[in-house]
Amino acid sequence: MCLERLHFLGLLCPRWGHPAIVAEKSGEGELVHFNVSASLRWIRLVSGYWGTLRIPKELNP
């Protein structure tokens, strides 16, 4: 999956201005752990989030 378009304040950003996005996930049983970050070359980390989701066995095939 890749970022195709990015708008900032209603304006389309050029491709060289797109952030690099890193997403990682892991899990075991009902738990899924994730870590996502977005960074720009000249600013570094712009945004990031991490967490854990619990998926009940009834919803996990």
Side-chain angles (χ1 to χ4, degrees):
M1 185 178 265
C2 65
L3 181 62
E4 293 184 16
R5 276 182 289 219
L6 177 67
H7 290 82
F8 181 71
L9 299 175
L11 301 172
L12 182 62
C13 294
R15 273 201 183 272
W16 57 263
H18 287 187
I21 299 173
V22 176
E24 303 169 334
K25 73 169 185 161
S26 63
E28 186 175 314
E30 293 185 346
L31 299 178
V32 177
H33 309 284
F34 59 90
N35 184 0
V36 180
S37 64
S39 58
L40 294 171
R41 291 182 197 127
W42 59 91
I43 299 178
R44 308 258 176 171
L45 182 65
V46 175
S47 179
Y49 61 95
W50 57 270
T52 302
L53 295 172
R54 184 183 150 279
I55 303 174
K57 289 181 182 179
E58 308 85 54
L59 299 176
N60 193 3

